[in-house]
Amino acid sequence: MLMTKQHSVYQTPKDVMDAHNHGFTLLCRSDFDGAIEVFEKILQNSPQNSTIENDAEDHIGECLIQKGDVNQAANIYENLLHSNPLEYIFAAKCAYSYGLLGHAGLALQFCEKTMKSNADTQSILTYILPTYLKFDAHDEAIKIATNALRQSPLNLNLHEHVALAFMMNQEYAKALPFIKKATTHRDTDFNIWYMLAICLTALNAESWKIKQCINNVKIRIPKEISRHGNWLEHVITDLDILSTPEITDKILSMKIK
């Protein structure tokens, strides 16, 4: 916990709920300092180890990760897991935090702890699968995500994770059907179109198909990114991770003005 409890700052449960909603809105708007301030005030008013307190600390951890204070976030999630050993989402967030810090041993240890619980909810997989992928445990990520897909065949996020794992193994043909499934959603994230462009390029698809994917990315790119210069430069690092330099160069050469 980041602050000791002092005098009450909210008078009723509704005050606390309103404050929580305000803090969550600030978090979604990327005002992480403002959100942390709100959630710290909630901690002053909440009973120890309550759901309210746990939720507030969880959101503080999310803000700290976004701010780059990952060590502090990892400490928060370990404390939350210690107090709530059956809340496996906290183990998953420990794994993700240590993954961001590059601590493979600790990250994979928390991954294993989480998966042994069979708690393969979407929220947990969101943290576990990227951690496995980061440390080249591609086969494990594929196995977990495909097993989850059997239970939730319409979950487009799982299709994306399976595709990502195959791509990191440079098995583009296997990744392609999972990516195409993910693109069926009307609110497809622009990263999916990049992934599709990479796969099509690797499989020597016709250039117009690849350009179409890149155009879809340009249409969906957030305004806050496009304000900071060339829209394609922001994904070069991701392209290098997912594909060979030759594939990256080919996609860059197809930039749509």
Side-chain angles (χ1 to χ4, degrees):
M1 187 183 305
L2 299 182
M3 295 184 63
T4 56
K5 296 180 177 61
Q6 302 169 356
H7 59 281
S8 176
V9 292
Y10 301 118
Q11 299 300 316
T12 69
K14 184 179 183 302
D15 291 337
V16 176
M17 181 58 67
D18 288 344
H20 177 277
N21 292 338
H22 177 55
F24 189 72
T25 298
L26 293 175
L27 192 163
C28 293
R29 291 177 179 171
S30 299
D31 182 357
F32 304 119
D33 290 328
I36 288 174
E37 182 179 353
V38 171
F39 289 122
E40 284 182 336
K41 287 181 179 179
I42 291 174
L43 290 177
Q44 295 178 43
N45 196 61
S46 63
Q48 189 172 12
N49 295 328
S50 69
T51 300
I52 295 172
E53 180 186 62
N54 291 342
D55 195 45
E57 291 198 82
D58 186 5
H59 287 319
I60 288 173
E62 293 173 6
C63 291
L64 291 170
I65 286 176
Q66 295 298 323
K67 282 167 54 69
D69 297 331
V70 186
N71 271 309
Q72 193 173 356
N75 289 334
I76 286 175
Y77 289 128
E78 281 214 60
N79 289 335
L80 283 170
L81 181 61
H82 179 74
S83 302
N84 306 271
L86 298 181
E87 293 289 341
Y88 294 102
I89 185 63
F90 297 140
K93 291 187 177 184
C94 284
Y96 183 72
S97 299
Y98 283 119
L100 291 176
L101 292 168
H103 299 327
L106 279 172
L108 294 175
Q109 176 183 324
F110 281 109
C111 279
E112 184 178 359
K113 179 181 180 66
T114 306
M115 297 317 298
K116 279 184 176 179
S117 70
N118 294 318
D120 57 352
T121 63
Q122 175 57 42
S123 57
I124 282 177
L125 292 175
T126 297
Y127 294 97
I128 292 300
L129 291 173
T131 305
Y132 276 127
L133 292 174
K134 180 180 179 66
F135 297 110
D136 298 328
H138 306 149
D139 292 339
E140 188 68 21
I142 291 169
K143 182 178 75 173
I144 292 169
T146 50
N147 284 341
L149 270 176
R150 293 190 185 98
Q151 303 298 321
S152 305
L154 300 180
N155 190 314
L156 299 182
N157 286 330
L158 292 176
H159 284 85
E160 178 181 351
H161 286 305
V162 174
L164 188 59
F166 278 126
M167 289 177 71
M168 294 184 78
N169 270 349
Q170 296 189 11
E171 297 181 86
Y172 300 105
K174 291 182 179 179
L176 194 57
F178 292 99
I179 296 176
K180 286 184 174 180
K181 180 70 175 179
T183 62
T184 60
H185 196 278
R186 63 181 179 86
D187 294 324
T188 299
D189 187 274
F190 62 84
N191 288 325
I192 299 295
W193 295 103
Y194 279 122
M195 292 166 64
L196 182 55
I198 291 168
C199 284
L200 291 173
T201 305
L203 297 171
N204 295 316
E206 295 177 20
S207 61
W208 70 267
K209 293 182 179 179
I210 302 166
K211 288 182 179 180
Q212 188 178 50
C213 292
I214 297 173
N215 264 335
N216 277 318
V217 177
K218 189 175 182 181
I219 290 169
R220 290 164 172 76
I221 194 124
K223 292 180 180 179
E224 62 269 20
I225 293 178
S226 61
R227 282 202 303 265
H228 296 293
N230 188 310
W231 63 273
L232 196 53
E233 291 177 359
H234 294 277
V235 296
I236 290 177
T237 301
D238 292 333
L239 292 175
D240 285 336
I241 291 171
L242 294 173
S243 60
T244 65
E246 292 77 15
I247 293 173
T248 302
D249 289 343
K250 189 180 291 187
I251 293 175
L252 293 176
S253 72
M254 295 180 183
K255 182 179 71 171
I256 309 299
K257 295 186 181 297

